[in-house]
Amino acid sequence: MKKISDYASEAELALRQLAISEKEPASLYSPIVYALTSGGKRLRPGLVMMVAESYGGASALEACQKAAAGIEMFHNFTLLHDDVMDKSEKRRGHDSVWYKWNANTAILSGDTMLTLATKLVTEVPDDKLRRVIDTFNDMALEVYEGQQLDLDFETSETINSDTYIEMIRKKTGALLGAAAGIGAILGNASDKEIGLMTTFGEMLGIAFQIQDDWLDTYGDSATFGKPIGGDILNDKKTFLLVKALEADKGTVDALKVTMKELKGEAKIKAVTRIYDKLNLSEETKKSVAFYTKLALKALKATSLSEEAKEPFRLLVEKLTGRKK
Amino acid sequence: MKKISDYASEAELALRQLAISEKEPASLYSPIVYALTSGGKRLRPGLVMMVAESYGGASALEACQKAAAGIEMFHNFTLLHDDVMDKSEKRRGHDSVWYKWNANTAILSGDTMLTLATKLVTEVPDDKLRRVIDTFNDMALEVYEGQQLDLDFETSETINSDTYIEMIRKKTGALLGAAAGIGAILGNASDKEIGLMTTFGEMLGIAFQIQDDWLDTYGDSATFGKPIGGDILNDKKTFLLVKALEADKGTVDALKVTMKELKGEAKIKAVTRIYDKLNLSEETKKSVAFYTKLALKALKATSLSEEAKEPFRLLVEKLTGRKK
């Protein structure tokens, strides 16, 4: 059985074959090569491929190679611009593009990546072109809207866990949804199956993001790949913080004072203690389970055989750390 | 006879009908509305429409409305990002988006405009979709490459007038070329006519940009719409400066000292005096005339009637200030 990791390797290959390093001017294209060769799990293009082959076999897998690469290119474009906006100096353990070069380079090479992504996504059979490009463009708008909501939330007092979920649905869910949806389109799936696969990807994206929030506080730094507590130190509005801000006034006031006055490890410990009191680890895990279940429900409703569903179940497990 | 100004008014209308102000979140879309309603001559979408109707009549004019709006949206996207990169505080007499809001807003709302532009450009008949989207994407890459060359030139000693022309061909010519080309595609023109119209737009764009460089030094501030000498004050690599840097060593050394040591009006006057000595006003006008002639030559070679060619000749005159 082919697994997501097999498709991710295939996606890596498709990306290498784009030959961007040969394009001029090098000052525009070498940051793109740098960004595309600085790691990344290639889950999104892998998902395009896995869905396409599950529905349409080898010819669909062949037909989706460029579009899959385009999905990963788009993802990396958003990282270049997000890192400028968030002033993040590191990305996947390397210097981010704006930090290594400068903001102008990250902006303009990022713009170039968006157009390269759009070009790649148009490299599909004529009878699929309109549907694929529409799915891609509509997804892109959702991702920007999600990023804008995320930026707005940092200075807003009016978030609640519902608006937070809507934000991550757009910022993270939409791209995984479009990846699965485009895979299904290119696999000649029916409208119903395309819809179910889009839901699968979208709900998986939400579950994954909430899980990522949980890991930042309750994870193991070795497997998480980042130091624990980074979000707490940066006052990042995570699912846990948003939930905590919905607690009683006494707790919220104490939390705000703690966030404002403490620094470093002391801050991480104190905030975590408040999360513990509110039982937020359990509540967050429940929320991950909820969206995981919605993803699995959509998967179950598809016409794929049990055997064909299995790699998708394994993907869910991999991204959310939980079995069905 | 309909003129470019008539089509520009029609383009203005098409832009107003996009109803972007109703979209959420407002923090993402209101800077877009601001940018799109802060002036602009709408020459590019007007050109799409003028070419489309010239070849394909009323139905082609109808079919190109959204694509024309997309071309103007793309143009405004580049202005948002260019103003961040160049730190330009003003745009068309108003505060630029990054200056009014902040750089993050200009980046993300700009990204959104690029995708909105791409979406608009896909709103064409199915049988034209691939050709239009390919023309658009390839143009976009040329524009980024031109902008990158422009940024590189600011810190480079190795520009000459040939590389300068290549830069403005990409940065300014490509978009006018694609506007005319997409108009021709949507007007059901033949491949040959599409090619000629693309050349017409591209050469017109080059002539226009060189003329703009000339106006910055030798123009009349009332008709130019900007103070004279702005490029000189900013050490902007214009056609005149690049040409001057190709002069004998003595002149180049004197020019560099002048640029470094003088400020304000004194700098403008002294640099202009060097340009005068090198007879650069005449040489620049000759270059404008050269590219104008190439544009008119392409126009002449088209199958359009003399009557249909007339508004294009008037457009050339308007943009380059010279008759045939």
Side-chain angles (χ1 to χ4, degrees), chain A residues 10-316:
Chain A
E10 216 163 320
E12 187 66 47
L13 223 69
L15 282 167
R16 305 267 160 173
Q17 283 166 356
L18 300 179
I20 294 162
S21 59
E22 292 153 26
K23 298 189 71 163
E24 294 278 354
S27 46
L28 184 66
Y29 289 103
S30 65
I32 299 175
V33 174
Y34 171 82
L36 287 177
T37 52
S38 298
K41 297 185 291 295
R42 314 307 188 201
L43 286 176
R44 292 161 187 84
L47 182 58
V48 176
M49 291 178 176
M50 193 156 86
V51 177
E53 187 167 34
S54 299
Y55 281 100
S59 65
L61 178 60
E62 181 63 31
C64 81
Q65 296 283 313
K66 292 291 174 68
I71 288 289
E72 182 68 12
M73 183 76 82
F74 177 84
H75 176 55
N76 281 270
F77 140 68
T78 65
L79 300 181
L80 255 71
H81 281 193
D82 284 4
D83 285 344
V84 174
M85 293 184 244
D86 302 338
K87 301 194 171 42
S88 306
E89 298 174 2
K90 291 285 173 187
R91 172 61 65 184
R92 295 164 175 162
H94 300 86
D95 287 347
S96 60
V97 167
W98 77 266
Y99 189 69
K100 185 177 167 74
W101 282 272
N102 50 58
N104 285 357
T105 298
I107 294 170
L108 193 57
S109 293
D111 292 344
T112 306
M113 291 171 87
L114 173 51
T115 292
L116 288 174
T118 310
K119 264 182 84 74
L120 285 165
V121 160
T122 63
E123 293 191 41
V124 294
D126 280 340
D127 65 321
K128 306 284 196 298
L129 177 58
R130 185 171 295 278
R131 186 144 193 186
V132 169
I133 189 79
D134 284 353
T135 302
F136 178 80
N137 284 330
D138 291 340
M139 169 278 289
L141 291 180
E142 290 212 299
V143 171
Y144 310 141
E145 290 167 5
Q147 168 69 0
Q148 183 68 51
L149 290 173
D150 199 9
L151 293 171
D152 292 348
F153 284 175
E154 293 307 313
T155 55
S156 159
E157 293 282 315
T158 59
I159 328 165
N160 57 47
S161 47
D162 290 342
T163 53
Y164 180 81
I165 295 290
E166 178 63 3
M167 183 273 282
I168 62 174
R169 185 189 67 75
K170 291 188 167 201
K171 188 170 170 175
T172 306
L175 181 50
L176 278 161
I182 288 173
I185 295 167
L186 294 173
N188 295 305
S190 69
D191 285 0
K192 187 189 162 197
E193 299 290 314
I194 294 166
L196 287 168
M197 267 297 159
T198 302
T199 302
F200 170 78
E202 199 168 86
M203 294 302 126
L204 177 61
I206 296 174
F208 170 67
Q209 185 58 56
I210 301 173
Q211 170 78 359
D212 202 62
D213 286 357
W214 182 88
L215 284 170
D216 189 83
T217 300
Y218 293 107
D220 173 30
S221 70
T223 51
F224 187 43
K226 294 183 271 192
I228 296 302
D231 288 343
I232 292 176
L233 289 179
N234 295 317
D235 298 333
K236 175 93 191 131
K237 295 274 168 65
T238 61
F239 184 81
L240 294 98
L241 179 52
V242 169
K243 274 283 175 193
L245 291 170
E246 290 174 354
D248 61 287
K249 188 168 180 309
T251 305
V252 170
D253 288 347
L255 175 62
K256 284 184 179 171
V257 170
T258 305
M259 285 172 65
K260 202 172 169 183
E261 314 235 313
L262 295 184
K263 290 209 165 96
E265 276 305 314
K267 181 175 178 178
I268 298 175
K269 274 193 184 155
V271 171
T272 304
R273 213 171 303 125
I274 295 172
Y275 289 171
D276 286 345
K277 262 194 216 158
L278 294 167
N279 201 23
L280 287 186
S281 175
E282 272 315 300
E283 192 168 350
T284 304
K285 285 203 265 182
K286 262 187 208 161
S287 187
V288 174
F290 177 76
Y291 290 101
T292 300
K293 216 174 241 174
L294 289 181
L296 291 171
K297 192 178 155 197
L299 176 67
K300 195 174 172 199
T302 66
S303 65
L304 293 176
S305 71
E306 284 310 305
E307 199 194 334
K309 283 173 184 161
E310 189 56 20
F312 292 99
R313 280 193 212 101
L314 291 173
L315 170 63
V316 171

Side-chain angles (χ1 to χ4, degrees), chain B residues 61-111:
Chain B
L61 178 60
E62 181 63 31
C64 81
Q65 296 284 313
K66 292 291 175 68
I71 288 289
E72 182 67 12
M73 182 77 82
F74 177 83
H75 176 55
N76 281 270
F77 141 68
T78 65
L79 300 181
L80 255 72
H81 281 192
D82 284 5
D83 285 344
V84 174
M85 292 185 245
D86 302 339
K87 301 194 171 42
S88 306
E89 297 174 2
K90 290 285 172 186
R91 170 62 63 184
R92 296 164 173 163
H94 300 86
D95 288 346
S96 60
V97 168
W98 78 265
Y99 190 69
K100 186 176 166 75
W101 282 271
N102 52 56
N104 284 358
T105 298
I107 294 170
L108 193 57
S109 293
D111 293 344

